[in-house]
Amino acid sequence: MKEVINKTIERKILLNPGPATTSARVKSALVTEDICPREKEFGDLLSDVREKVKKVVNADSNYEGILLGCAGTGAIESCLSSCTNTDDGVLIIENGAYGKRMKQICDNLGVFSQVIRFEWGQVIDWKEVDQFLSKNSSKFKVLAFVHHETTTGILNSISEFKSISDKYKMVSLIDAMSSYAGINIDLVKDDVDYLISSSNKCIQGMAGLGIVIAKASELERIKGFKKKSFYFDLYANFLSQKEKNQFLFTPPVQTLYALNEAFDEFFEDGGIEARAAKYSGLYEKMHEGMCAFGFTPLLEEKENSRILTTFLEPIDKNYNFESMHNYLYQRGITIYPGKVDEKNSFRISNIGQLGSEDIQLFLDLISEYIEQSGIRLK
Ligand SMILES: Cc1ncc(COP(=O)(O)O)c(C=O)c1O
């Protein structure tokens, strides 16, 4: 028996930092035969995707890919709850909202943690981190940070992070939510213990799956630890996937099909070099255009991830984010509010299945909006 499903939809341009615009190919993969996720066919798909997850960051056989049915935050929660034993502490380096979130997760889990805080948007002072650890390292087992702080668009250095975690023999845990598959990360070189992302950002799949890439030796280390969560027990989820080729709990079935397609599209398009170069080109066009209008970026260009840019809001009585957002939204483009408390700002991301023509359309509409609303930017 066959079923025909035909649907024509509007293509939307999402300039928020994920969920990102997906290709028609990825969207189509969602429409698939109903299947019980305990069937072998689905298990084979899971096993394939777990390998593809690793390939993006050049993770070799020392690593395991683990998928969890959740938002990215769930994957972080799973790692933070599972990588600490009863008395282990986590030191979190914060320079944005997602570093702050890791602390909140630890607090809710009852995991001892402390934050070394830098201003949001400020470059991490690695000497300060080093000095702090030289006096306090015995309190902490895990060092955690955010690679690309989506709060501001700042790109934090994995190699600096890793050299500190190595120096103090700490477990290294990285939130790479909005950099994985958009910026080159090489786990053979960087050798971190946990790298975390999700299905709906630079890999350009649908929302619903958390991605964890963890060292196999690390998974061995944590297996007897006191459990702090049932659903997010990373080791139990891993074991089910490794030994039975099955998710531990009901997964978002169709999201996995779409993610598989997103990985195939990623590799066929030329892998990480091609994607990073494409995002970089889109960033340059967007950044140049916005600066030419007179918008001011929060960060210096050399600190920017080239994935997301924070612009300071113009000080002009005619400017209003809501109305600019709505003007664009009604015309198929979504932009994102800022997240830095002390500075009024908005954010433009350039990830997803976008082309130069999409950025041009965005700039044309911004130009139109500036003219119609009478905002003075210069
Ligand atoms: C760096 C970073 N960490 C964590 C998250 C949280 O991901 P999610 O919204 O999927 O829970 C985000 C979301 O934008 C993010 O950018």
Side-chain angles (χ1 to χ4, degrees):
M1 223 165 58
K2 303 278 183 207
E3 274 181 311
V4 178
I5 299 161
N6 257 327
K7 208 172 166 188
T8 304
I9 54 169
E10 281 296 316
R11 177 174 174 271
K12 301 288 184 187
I13 299 170
L14 301 188
L15 302 181
N16 51 294
T21 302
T22 53
S23 65
R25 173 178 172 179
V26 168
K27 286 187 191 81
S28 304
L30 284 173
V31 182
T32 181
E33 292 160 19
D34 296 318
I35 187 167
C36 168
R38 304 279 173 221
E39 287 300 325
K40 179 179 177 306
E41 190 186 325
F42 191 78
D44 291 344
L45 177 72
L46 169 61
S47 159
D48 281 355
V49 175
R50 287 180 59 231
E51 282 309 307
K52 291 174 189 175
V53 155
K54 292 186 350 178
K55 200 173 153 196
V56 170
V57 285
N58 193 28
D60 59 15
S61 57
N62 292 319
Y63 284 93
E64 295 285 352
I66 305 157
L67 294 156
L68 300 163
C70 59
T73 304
I76 296 172
E77 185 155 339
S78 175
C79 292
L80 286 170
S81 73
S82 305
C83 74
T84 47
N85 212 352
T86 323
D87 298 324
D88 291 339
V90 181
L91 182 66
I92 300 156
I93 305 167
E94 174 197 317
N95 64 346
Y98 295 104
K100 181 177 173 186
R101 184 175 293 183
M102 288 208 246
K103 170 74 178 143
Q104 292 167 322
I105 293 172
C106 287
D107 289 350
N108 280 18
L109 288 168
V111 170
F112 169 72
S113 67
Q114 199 170 322
V115 162
I116 301 196
R117 189 179 191 275
F118 298 94
E119 286 303 310
W120 291 10
Q122 191 189 311
V123 176
I124 294 168
D125 180 346
W126 294 101
K127 279 205 193 92
E128 193 179 321
V129 179
D130 191 3
Q131 273 163 14
F132 176 85
L133 277 168
S134 68
K135 296 186 200 102
N136 299 287
S137 68
S138 62
K139 287 197 269 176
F140 304 101
K141 180 75 198 168
V142 180
L143 188 64
F145 98 141
V146 179
H147 183 212
H148 171 217
E149 242 313 345
T150 326
T151 315
T152 57
I154 198 166
L155 188 67
N156 295 316
S157 161
I158 293 191
S159 59
E160 297 275 13
F161 168 83
K162 191 59 180 49
S163 70
I164 297 268
S165 71
D166 279 353
K167 180 169 175 184
Y168 294 98
K169 299 194 170 37
M170 297 171 84
V171 170
S172 47
L173 185 152
I174 299 185
D175 170 348
M177 205 65 67
S178 56
S179 56
Y180 173 84
I183 292 172
N184 200 352
I185 300 170
D186 183 332
L187 286 185
V188 167
K189 179 169 88 35
D190 295 321
D191 193 41
V192 297
D193 293 305
Y194 297 88
L195 193 84
I196 307 157
S197 188
S198 74
S199 51
N200 59 249
K201 292 196 185 282
C202 303
I203 193 57
Q204 301 181 181
M206 295 294 166
L209 281 163
I211 295 172
V212 175
I213 300 154
K215 275 256 183 76
S217 56
E218 183 53 26
L219 291 163
E220 255 323 283
R221 188 185 72 87
I222 65 172
K223 81 175 174 194
F225 282 10
K226 182 173 171 354
K227 313 283 185 200
K228 299 173 205 69
S229 168
F230 183 71
Y231 185 83
F232 286 130
D233 178 343
L234 186 68
Y235 188 77
N237 278 277
F238 157 67
L239 209 61
S240 170
Q241 294 180 20
K242 175 95 176 168
E243 293 194 339
K244 297 193 195 146
N245 255 359
Q246 286 187 6
F247 280 87
L248 193 53
F249 307 106
T250 306
V253 173
Q254 288 74 14
T255 294
L256 188 69
Y257 282 93
L259 183 59
N260 185 47
E261 208 64 39
F263 277 118
D264 289 349
E265 189 174 66
F266 173 87
F267 294 118
E268 284 166 30
D269 285 352
I272 188 62
E273 268 86 21
R275 181 139 312 166
K278 185 182 147 196
Y279 285 174
S280 215
L282 296 174
Y283 157 79
E284 273 165 24
K285 187 173 174 72
M286 181 277 295
H287 189 266
E288 201 183 301
M290 289 296 276
C291 292
F293 291 137
F295 287 102
T296 310
L298 173 75
L299 302 177
E300 283 184 40
E301 268 208 89
K302 63 176 169 26
E303 289 155 11
N304 192 289
S305 60
R306 303 171 87 81
I307 286 217
L308 173 135
T309 308
T310 299
F311 291 100
L312 300 173
E313 296 202 304
I315 306 166
D316 183 296
K317 63 175 176 11
N318 292 326
Y319 170 82
N320 174 290
F321 176 77
E322 196 81 356
S323 102
M324 183 166 75
H325 166 273
N326 294 348
Y327 189 86
L328 292 165
Y329 190 76
Q330 283 151 12
R331 289 157 182 82
I333 297 185
T334 304
I335 60 169
Y336 214 48
K339 215 178 168 123
V340 185
D341 283 346
E342 321 80 67
K343 293 198 174 94
N344 292 336
S345 58
F346 64 91
R347 289 175 288 173
I348 306 294
S349 184
N350 46 271
I351 63 170
Q353 188 65 15
L354 303 175
S356 172
E357 64 289 355
D358 296 320
I359 301 295
Q360 190 56 54
L361 177 64
F362 162 71
L363 293 171
D364 291 347
L365 289 173
I366 286 280
S367 166
E368 233 174 73
Y369 176 75
I370 292 170
E371 208 174 303
Q372 285 191 16
S373 59
I375 307 168
R376 286 167 61 101
L377 290 162
K378 291 185 193 173

